[in-house]
């Protein structure tokens, strides 16, 4: 090679190698507490009985009080994680806006959030121009501000000062623009004055069925339960406050029925599967029927220890199967504890990058918050056991008026329950193994005992295949706990070795026909049996809250109206929505990644190797240009075919360099938003939301190409909604359906076990269920 060629080419390659190797250099992750030199002792449990009127005023031991305080207050340092997402979640998440005090008068109605008693709406902004609820009393509330943060006025959200809000950030801060100007609040580098952390109370505290509030926007602590689960939480309002209907993600978040959460949306499994927020009842009885399973090497180190242990199936699909302590620790990670490590294991929200398992050993070594959470777990478990008693309708105000006085009907309902339901929905079982006839005979006798419902979890806590249940499969196909995925260490070996259940029948809304879909093995394909305790207060039904009408009314009358509607649809499938329950976009939309977030999206998918491109978009074109000049210079020194080849190659490389300029500057967020669409009104949301990144590359490329082509035609020809739907379904939908991860979109199907009963038996069973 000539001196001139080396002059251009060698330095270019050397600089490229150095820069890109720096971009790939990994660093060990530690949490903020570890980095600050803190220890577990710096995060003591709060001992004051702050919430004594909750949970029916139940008497708690000092340990149980500390456990409830952990449930209500402890964020495990996740305020750092949620602050990170405020700048790196593509504009989806900003809890500081969710707790805006101006929303207090309608928080429950619009967001499904519970206003914290003892607080009121702010009458003026604070020193930073933000509207935050104010305490009614100036007296301290007994919490530890250094550990628990301050109350936001929204149960489950805690407020912390932002340590990064320095003098420069303060000077740049503009509250008016923060509330109104997307160019300002979408800046990933914006530093907010506060961080907002999340405790378990956000999803699990809601109105006590036996002590309804006179005003749902102004409850007292006596009106609240820590274990019933928030059946009213509105995912889109909480996690997508700034989204508009023209944004496809607006429709994705809106697909979650009230009271459900897509727990795999952050560590995404690219499978849209929102599921019900668990109610927690009769925990002691539940632990008594826990299944013995084989632990992996990491889980062995967690309480109660041992390679084989009895574990409850905590998650809806039964994947969280290593014991109570491990399950609770995993929940805290899933809401942001040790987020410094967690985000390295997956690409939040968008996914499209291979996951790696979150390491329990790394967490124990490098996270003070993890170790502090482990120390709190025994007291937290003790609280949940004590507070998880049943809530029978007879004890609710006026509840007796809704119960039958016809003893014959009630007794018939008991027998129907014994014959049709008790195999799955009872934690009381025969003392010895029984065949079907023996079991039914035993059940008929057992259900008539006056203490049958006492300490009965009303579930056997077993996992059953969706081939039997025939309910919507989306959550059962969630695979984050399978081998090699994010939660591998939090599922048992028995779970990960589960063979495929085979094929299920699903509906193709484009071809308008049923077809067979093979369920992958290794864990997916099952639902655990839900409890029926207080079922009168728990409607809508099924794992996704899709069966029955949601009425947002937590009064006794409102709960019974919801129960009546849901149980009728359970017993009479013809009353269900059926195909109409497929969730679709309500208007034309685009998948949008705003320009400021594009670098983070690219780095999330490609990894740190993309950092030089996103931070120095001119660099790669320059290096390629230098290489091109090197070939040109080399060609000018040669003759014949070598000259020709070198000049051609050099010219092509120069053209590539020029082409890379707009591409790289677009990736760096300098040339506008990424917009994919328009996606037609009425498109099934999960057609795109469930796109499988592990699909065969050829199929994936074909699906993306056909979708892009259809969208271009829709936009170019300015097609009407009807025409756009027709074109998209004909040209793009079949290819997209081929690469979907979860093709089962009919939400309210299945669980047909009571359908063959006579009308009289259905009525009797319904009356008996109300007594739970």
């Amino acid at each position: 090679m000539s001196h001139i060629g080396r002059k251009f080419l060698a330095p270019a390659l050397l600089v490229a190698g150095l820069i890109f190797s720096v971009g790939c250099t990994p660093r060990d992750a530690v949490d903020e507490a570890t980095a600050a030199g803190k220890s577990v002792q710096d995060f003591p449990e709060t001992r004051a009985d702050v919430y004594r009127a909750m949970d029916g005023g139940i008497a708690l031991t000092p340990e149980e009080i500390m456990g409830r305080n952990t449930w209500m207050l402890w964020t495990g340092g996740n305020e750092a994680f949620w602050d990170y997402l405020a700048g790196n979640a593509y504009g989806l998440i900003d809890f500081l806006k969710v707790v805006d005090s101006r929303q207090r008068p309608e928080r429950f109605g619009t967001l499904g959030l519970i206003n914290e008693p003892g607080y009121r709406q702010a009458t003026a902004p604070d020193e930073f121009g933000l509207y935050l609820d104010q305490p009614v009393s100036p007296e301290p509330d007994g919490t530890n501000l250094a550990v628990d943060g301050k109350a936001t006025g929204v149960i489950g959200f805690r407020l912390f000062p932002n340590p990064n809000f320095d003098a420069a950030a303060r000077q740049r801060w503009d509250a008016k623009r923060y509330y109104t100007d997307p160019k300002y609040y979408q800046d990933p580098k914006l530093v907010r004055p506060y961080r907002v952390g999340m405790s378990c109370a956000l999803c699990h505290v809601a109105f006590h069925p036996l002590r309804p509030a006179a005003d749902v926007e102004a409850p007292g602590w006596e009106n609240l339960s820590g274990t019933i689960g928030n059946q009213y939480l509105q995912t889109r309002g909480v996690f997508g406050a700034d989204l508009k209907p023209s944004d496809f993600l607006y429709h994705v978040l809106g697909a979650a029925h009230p009271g459900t959460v897509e727990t795999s949306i952050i560590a995404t499994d690219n499978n849209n599967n929102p599921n019900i927020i668990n109610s927690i009842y009769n925990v002691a009885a539940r632990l008594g029927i826990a299944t013995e399973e084989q632990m992996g090497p990491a889980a062995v180190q967690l309480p109660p220890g041992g390679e084989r242990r009895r574990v409850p199936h905590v998650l809806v699909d039964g994947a969280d199967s290593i014991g109570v302590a491990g399950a609770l620790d995993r929940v805290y990670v899933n809401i942001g504890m040790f987020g410094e490590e967690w985000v390295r294991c997956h690409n939040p929200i968008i996914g499209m990058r291979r996951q790696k398992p979150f390491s329990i050993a790394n967490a124990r070594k490098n996270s003070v918050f993890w170790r502090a959470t482990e120390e709190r777990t025994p007291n937290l478990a003790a609280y949940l056991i004590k507070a998880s008693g049943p809530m029978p309708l007879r004890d609710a105000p006026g509840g007796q008026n809704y119960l039958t006085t016809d003893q014959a009907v009630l007794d018939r309902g008991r027998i129907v329950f014994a014959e049709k339901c008790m195999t799955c929905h009872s934690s009381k079982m025969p003392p010895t193994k029984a065949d079907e006839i023996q079991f039914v005979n035993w059940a008929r006798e057992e259900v008539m005992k006056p203490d049958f419902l006492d300490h009965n979890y009303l579930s056997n806590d077993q996992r059953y295949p969706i081939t039997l249940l025939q309910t919507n499969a989306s959550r059962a196909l969630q695979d984050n706990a399978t081998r090699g995925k994010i939660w591998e260490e939090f599922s048992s070996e028995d779970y990960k070795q589960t063979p495929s259940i085979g094929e299920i029948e699903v509906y193709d809304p484009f071809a308008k026909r049923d077809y067979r879909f093979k369920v992958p093995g290794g864990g997916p394909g099952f639902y655990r049996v839900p409890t029926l305790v207080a079922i009168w207060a728990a409607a809508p039904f099924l794992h996704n809250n899709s069966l029955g009408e949601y009425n947002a009314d937590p009064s006794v009358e409102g709960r019974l109206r919801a129960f009546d509607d849901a149980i009728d649809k359970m017993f009479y499938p013809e009353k269900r929505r059926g195909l109409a329950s497929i969730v679709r976009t309500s208007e034309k939309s685009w998948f949008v990644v705003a320009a400021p977030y594009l670098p983070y999206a690219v780095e999330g998918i490609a990894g740190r190797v993309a950092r030089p491109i996103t931070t120095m978009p001119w660099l790669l074109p320059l290096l390629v240009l230098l290489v091109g000049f090197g070939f040109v210079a080399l060609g000018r020194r040669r003759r014949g075919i070598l000259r020709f080849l070198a000049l051609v190659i050099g010219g092509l490389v120069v053209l590539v360099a020029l082409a890379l300029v707009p591409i790289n500057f677009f990736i760096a967020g300098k040339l506008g938003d990424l917009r994919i669409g328009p996606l037609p009104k009425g498109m099934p949301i999960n057609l795109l939301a469930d796109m499988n990144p592990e699909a065969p590359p050829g199929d994936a490329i074909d699906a993306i190409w056909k979708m892009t082509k259809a969208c271009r035609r829709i936009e170019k020809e300015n097609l009407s909604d009807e025409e756009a739907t027709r074109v998209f379904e004909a040209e793009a939908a079949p290819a997209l359906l081929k690469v979907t991860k979860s093709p089962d979109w009919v939400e309210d199907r299945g669980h047909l076990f009571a359908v063959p009963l006579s009308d009289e038996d259905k009525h009797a069973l319904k009356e008996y269920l109300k007594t739970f």
Side-chain angles (χ1 to χ4, degrees):
M1 182 179 290
S2 71
H3 171 73
I4 298 176
R6 289 193 301 272
K7 179 180 179 182
F8 286 107
L9 187 56
L13 294 175
L14 178 61
V15 171
L18 289 172
I19 292 177
F20 281 87
S21 65
V22 170
C24 296
T25 301
R27 294 177 295 173
D28 291 335
V30 298
D31 67 11
E32 282 192 340
T34 303
K38 295 184 177 182
S39 68
V40 171
Q41 287 67 41
D42 292 306
F43 299 95
E45 296 181 70
T46 298
R47 296 176 175 270
D49 195 1
V50 184
Y51 308 105
R52 64 172 59 89
M54 269 184 67
D55 301 310
I58 189 171
L60 300 179
T61 67
E63 291 75 21
E64 291 161 354
I65 289 170
M66 288 189 285
R68 179 162 63 187
N69 290 337
T70 290
W71 193 245
M72 299 294 294
L73 301 169
W74 179 244
T75 67
N78 68 29
E79 59 274 8
F81 172 75
W82 293 111
D83 184 61
Y84 165 82
L85 284 191
N88 294 274
Y90 317 109
L92 287 183
I93 296 167
D94 194 339
F95 291 157
L96 198 54
K97 286 186 175 178
V98 176
V99 301
D100 186 337
S101 187
R102 291 169 291 187
Q103 300 185 84
R104 186 175 178 92
E106 58 275 337
R107 253 187 211 135
F108 173 73
T110 59
L111 301 176
L113 296 174
I114 312 297
N115 281 327
E116 182 160 349
Y119 283 77
R120 58 177 172 80
Q121 184 179 2
T123 57
D126 72 355
E127 61 177 309
F128 302 114
L130 296 169
Y131 290 83
L132 300 170
D133 284 6
Q134 299 299 306
V136 173
S137 170
E139 296 298 319
D141 63 4
T143 60
N144 184 337
L145 296 181
V147 176
D148 305 324
K150 291 173 54 179
T152 61
V154 180
I155 292 177
F157 280 135
R158 306 295 299 178
L159 195 71
F160 297 82
N162 191 337
N164 299 318
F165 193 71
D166 56 17
R170 181 185 288 263
Q171 184 174 7
R172 189 189 171 214
W173 176 253
D174 186 328
K176 183 177 180 180
R177 293 186 67 194
Y178 171 68
Y179 284 122
T180 61
D181 183 358
K183 291 184 178 179
Y184 181 79
Y185 63 70
Q186 286 182 350
D187 184 353
K189 296 180 181 179
L190 177 65
V191 180
R192 294 154 176 78
Y194 307 105
R195 292 170 167 178
V196 179
M198 179 193 297
S199 75
C200 291
L202 180 78
C203 290
H204 290 281
V205 173
F207 299 108
H208 201 301
L210 307 186
R211 293 164 179 80
D215 181 355
V216 293
E217 299 291 359
W221 286 117
E222 68 275 8
N223 303 126
L224 300 174
S225 161
T227 57
I228 188 171
N230 189 347
Q231 303 152 273
Y232 313 98
L233 187 74
Q234 304 273 357
T235 295
R236 182 165 61 203
V238 176
F239 294 95
D242 286 321
L243 293 177
K244 302 296 187 289
S246 59
D247 192 320
F248 176 67
L249 292 179
Y250 172 94
H251 302 278
V252 173
L253 293 183
H257 294 281
T260 66
V261 173
E262 221 302 31
T263 54
S264 58
I265 194 173
I266 304 296
T268 182
D269 60 349
N270 296 104
N271 171 7
N272 185 36
N273 58 86
N275 70 111
I276 190 170
I277 296 170
N278 284 331
S279 56
I280 302 170
Y281 290 118
N282 287 349
V283 172
R286 185 178 187 179
L287 295 177
I289 57 169
T291 303
E292 186 174 87
E293 298 192 28
Q294 180 70 35
M295 299 297 104
V300 167
Q301 306 303 318
L302 296 178
E307 292 186 1
R308 292 198 67 83
R309 66 180 66 153
R310 293 168 63 104
V311 296
H313 294 132
V314 178
L315 294 179
V316 166
D317 59 344
D320 208 346
S321 50
I322 61 169
V324 173
L328 290 172
D329 293 338
R330 189 207 64 82
V331 167
Y332 276 102
V333 177
N334 201 42
I335 61 173
M337 181 177 73
F338 198 19
E340 296 87 350
E341 172 68 17
W342 191 41
V343 297
R344 291 158 58 102
C345 299
H346 63 94
N347 182 28
I349 299 174
I350 286 182
M352 300 297 172
R353 187 182 82 204
R354 185 177 295 276
Q355 295 179 351
K356 69 175 184 177
F358 180 87
S359 168
I360 294 173
N362 282 351
R364 282 184 146 183
K365 175 184 175 183
N366 296 321
S367 173
V368 167
F369 286 119
W370 171 279
R371 297 196 295 275
T373 301
E374 279 199 83
E375 289 202 3
R376 290 165 175 258
T377 298
N379 289 342
L380 176 52
Y383 159 65
L384 294 176
I385 291 172
K386 177 65 75 68
S388 62
M391 301 176 181
L393 177 57
R394 67 174 182 269
D395 293 341
Q400 291 283 359
N401 298 329
Y402 296 97
L403 296 172
T404 183
T405 58
D406 190 327
Q407 190 61 43
V409 169
L410 199 57
D411 287 346
R412 181 58 194 163
R414 287 190 175 101
I415 296 301
V416 175
F417 182 81
E419 295 174 346
K420 292 293 183 181
C421 309
M422 203 164 148
T423 303
C424 296
H425 288 289
S426 175
S427 60
K428 295 184 177 181
M429 287 288 157
T432 58
K433 189 174 182 180
D435 61 28
E436 184 176 348
I437 295 176
Q438 291 171 328
F439 178 87
V440 171
N441 289 335
W442 172 87
R444 288 176 182 146
E445 181 179 344
E446 185 73 16
V447 79
M448 300 304 290
K449 293 179 179 179
D451 64 349
F452 171 68
L453 295 178
D454 295 348
H455 309 292
N456 193 334
Y457 179 51
L458 291 176
S459 164
N460 63 10
D461 204 39
Q462 296 299 305
R463 300 171 73 225
Y464 287 97
I466 47 179
T467 47
L468 172 66
L469 303 174
Q470 299 180 50
T471 50
N472 177 272
S474 291
R475 180 64 186 181
L477 296 176
Q478 193 270 133
D479 64 359
N480 272 351
T482 59
R483 204 173 301 281
K485 297 297 181 70
I486 186 81
W487 301 130
E488 175 189 321
E489 295 190 2
F490 294 87
S491 63
S492 69
E493 288 300 300
D494 291 307
Y495 171 88
K496 290 190 284 285
Q497 293 173 13
T498 306
S500 170
I501 62 170
E503 294 182 335
I504 59 172
E505 192 171 84
V506 296
Y507 181 74
D508 180 345
F510 312 114
K512 295 180 172 52
R513 61 176 179 83
D514 293 329
Y515 70 101
R516 309 293 294 179
F517 174 78
K518 176 70 178 295
V519 175
F526 296 80
Y527 288 121
R528 63 161 173 79
V529 179
T531 178
L532 298 185
V533 176
I535 188 175
W536 68 272
F541 297 152
L542 299 184
H543 75 276
N544 51 17
N545 271 1
S546 66
L547 189 62
E549 297 301 321
Y550 170 75
N551 62 21
D553 184 355
S555 69
V556 175
E557 179 187 1
R559 291 179 187 272
L560 264 297
R561 279 191 284 110
F563 170 83
D564 285 341
D565 182 73
I567 206 69
D568 283 348
K569 288 172 178 172
M570 179 77 78
F571 292 168
Y572 299 96
E574 64 272 17
K575 296 183 179 183
R576 304 184 191 186
R577 298 181 66 220
L579 297 181
S581 70
I582 297 175
V583 183
R584 300 173 182 269
T585 54
S586 59
E587 61 181 78
K588 182 167 60 177
S589 61
W590 286 257
F591 176 76
V592 181
V593 178
Y597 303 120
L598 275 171
Y600 299 89
V602 172
E603 288 180 28
I605 296 171
R608 292 178 59 86
V609 68
R611 179 69 56 84
I613 296 175
T614 58
T615 56
M616 299 176 286
W618 47 267
L619 177 63
L620 183 59
L622 177 61
L623 294 175
V624 174
L625 187 65
L626 291 175
V627 172
F629 284 166
F631 276 104
V632 170
L634 177 64
R636 294 177 63 185
R637 305 277 298 184
R638 293 290 184 267
R639 298 178 180 275
I641 190 65
L642 291 178
R643 176 186 179 89
F644 175 77
L645 289 175
L647 290 176
V648 169
I649 292 172
L652 291 174
V653 172
V654 169
L655 291 176
V656 169
L658 296 176
L660 284 174
V661 172
I663 294 173
N664 280 25
F665 275 80
F666 178 75
I667 288 172
K670 309 297 184 183
L671 298 179
D673 302 342
L674 170 66
R675 290 170 61 87
I676 299 174
L679 304 167
K681 176 183 177 180
M683 183 191 78
I685 289 169
N686 290 340
L687 183 65
L688 225 58
D690 292 349
M691 191 170 179
N692 186 3
E694 298 175 6
D699 291 341
I701 293 171
D702 181 59
I704 293 170
W705 169 250
K706 288 181 177 176
M707 177 183 67
T708 304
K709 189 177 178 182
C711 290
R712 284 178 178 173
R713 180 180 171 188
I714 291 168
E715 186 169 40
K716 183 179 180 180
E717 299 179 16
N718 194 25
L719 299 180
S720 66
D721 288 337
E722 294 77 10
E723 292 171 326
T725 297
R726 178 183 55 78
V727 167
F728 196 86
E729 291 188 354
E731 299 182 6
L736 287 167
L737 188 60
K738 191 175 181 180
V739 297
T740 189
K741 197 168 188 178
S742 174
D744 190 7
W745 303 335
V746 178
E747 292 199 332
D748 63 356
R749 71 187 189 95
H751 199 282
L752 306 175
F753 304 108
V755 174
L757 294 172
S758 67
D759 289 347
E760 291 77 14
D761 280 354
K762 289 177 181 177
H763 172 69
L765 178 58
K766 176 180 175 181
E767 291 303 315
Y768 181 54
L769 292 174
K770 281 197 286 188
T771 68
F772 292 0

